[in-house]
Amino acid sequence: MHPVLAFLATWVINAIALWLTAAIVPGVRIRRFSGAMWGALALGFVAFFIKPLVVFLSLPFLVLSLGFFYVVILGFCFWLAGKLVADFEVDNFLSGFLGALVLGLVNWGMSFFVHAPAWG
């Protein structure tokens, strides 16, 4: 698959997963599907640029908690992505935490039905 098509397919799949997450988790709202599209893009941006820095800075907490603190980082990244997009709202950190967990589960469940494109 062409890399541009693979990117677009992944983006749409993540937007659908985000839309489903907003339907399940209280405190996470998406006003229109374009908000889900921009929210999925913001989540990718935060995961690529900000999450590695936060993981590096919180390395002592990750070691002391045996990796459990990583779930807190995922919740923070989900909450932060909600602050970057107007039509994607995350009320508080707890909603971000639950949203990150549900989004991970929804993406995992969708992976059984939709073959994710290979990047390599």
Side-chain angles (χ1 to χ4, degrees):
M1 180 180 280
H2 193 273
V4 173
L5 289 176
F7 170 76
L8 291 174
T10 304
W11 186 17
V12 170
I13 290 167
N14 284 322
I16 293 169
L18 187 60
W19 185 274
L20 290 172
T21 300
I24 295 170
V25 177
V28 177
R29 285 178 302 285
I30 295 178
R31 293 188 187 144
R32 28 183 179 250
F33 191 71
S34 64
M37 294 293 288
W38 286 109
L41 196 62
L43 280 169
F45 173 81
V46 169
F48 188 78
F49 289 108
I50 296 172
K51 187 174 73 171
L53 178 65
V54 174
V55 168
F56 178 73
L57 293 176
S58 64
L59 204 53
F61 296 112
L62 284 166
V63 171
L64 288 174
S65 69
L66 301 175
F68 179 72
F69 194 72
Y70 191 72
V71 180
V72 174
I73 293 170
L74 291 176
F76 168 74
C77 290
F78 192 88
W79 172 82
L80 183 62
K83 295 297 176 191
L84 296 175
V85 178
D87 290 333
F88 170 43
E89 298 175 357
V90 181
D91 286 345
N92 50 34
F93 177 76
L94 180 62
S95 297
F97 177 76
L98 292 173
L101 289 177
V102 170
L103 182 64
L105 289 173
V106 168
N107 273 329
W108 176 73
M110 288 177 67
S111 71
F112 289 111
F113 301 108
V114 178
H115 176 66
W119 292 99

